[in-house]
Amino acid sequence: SGACTQYESNLLNEGILSQRYKFAKDRKNVEEILESASKSLRFDLSVARLFSFSGIHLLKRRQYAISDFVNSAFLENRIYIKGNPNTIRSYLHQESMAEWILAALISADVNTNLQIGSQSPVTLHDLATYVSEITNAIVSFSQNPPLADTYLPNNLDTRAKLGVEEGKSWEIAVEEM
């Protein structure tokens, strides 16, 4: 998960020891074990941290706000933002995700940490508003939202190493969905 490094430092700074922190810490521990094993067993290791994605084939996934919002808009004519509407996310289109992963698999540049995800930020509020404009769904908010957070990769090095671009925007993905 792309959030591993980010959540670990953010949540530790906030003094929060939560499931997300434990998840991030466990993922980072696995990366360290694999890195150590790759040195002693002499195999090539490349770590790719995957962030959030968008696209029509992800509609059945109840994991990302983008697919939840689109599904809710069509099924219930309502989009309910359970989290903080100021939370910032990004969504790399599924076609770009596949292109980036294939480029990483055939790359001769190993032992790199790849950030596979979009750097184009969108708040949950803006995402819900965009979906509601297309579907005429009503947007509702939680009365006691949690703290807002940011979940964005820094993909500049990854794009340069793999020779890839972000491709279609999250708005196009919403329209396709």
Side-chain angles (χ1 to χ4, degrees):
S1 170
C4 292
T5 305
Q6 193 166 3
Y7 279 148
E8 181 181 7
S9 61
N10 289 351
L11 295 173
L12 192 56
N13 289 339
E14 295 170 15
I16 300 170
L17 186 57
S18 67
Q19 285 297 97
R20 285 196 305 185
Y21 175 80
K22 183 177 177 345
F23 172 81
K25 191 73 172 159
D26 289 347
R27 286 281 177 107
K28 291 216 29 166
N29 286 341
V30 168
E31 286 180 13
E32 290 170 9
I33 290 167
L34 286 171
E35 187 175 333
S36 176
S38 73
K39 290 175 184 168
S40 63
L41 300 174
R42 295 189 174 94
F43 64 86
D44 294 330
L45 174 69
S46 185
V47 174
R49 293 195 177 113
L50 305 178
F51 286 74
S52 298
F53 303 100
S54 60
I56 193 163
H57 298 293
L58 299 175
L59 271 176
K60 294 179 180 142
R61 299 284 309 247
R62 300 291 299 178
Q63 180 178 357
Y64 304 127
I66 196 167
S67 56
D68 288 350
F69 290 177
V70 171
N71 280 323
S72 295
F74 281 107
L75 298 174
E76 303 165 22
N77 199 36
R78 178 175 299 276
I79 299 167
Y80 185 64
I81 299 178
K82 298 173 189 164
N84 190 309
N86 297 316
T87 293
I88 297 173
R89 295 291 183 263
S90 68
Y91 298 93
L92 184 67
H93 193 278
Q94 65 191 14
E95 292 171 7
S96 296
M97 174 195 65
E99 180 184 336
W100 290 33
I101 290 172
L102 287 173
L105 289 171
I106 62 173
S107 173
D109 191 6
V110 293
N111 296 321
T112 59
N113 288 318
L114 304 172
Q115 304 287 314
I116 298 180
S118 174
Q119 278 191 192
S120 299
V122 59
T123 65
L124 292 183
H125 180 271
D126 291 342
L127 176 60
T129 299
Y130 191 78
V131 173
S132 74
E133 288 171 359
I134 293 172
T135 62
N136 294 317
I138 298 166
V139 179
S140 302
F141 301 92
S142 172
Q143 295 301 314
N144 298 311
L147 294 174
D149 64 356
T150 300
Y151 183 48
L152 293 172
N154 180 349
N155 70 17
L156 295 176
D157 286 343
T158 299
R159 289 187 355 217
K161 285 178 186 177
L162 301 179
V164 295
E165 292 299 324
E166 289 196 19
K168 295 179 182 177
S169 68
W170 63 266
E171 293 98 337
I172 290 173
V174 166
E175 292 166 17
E176 290 174 350
M177 294 166 94

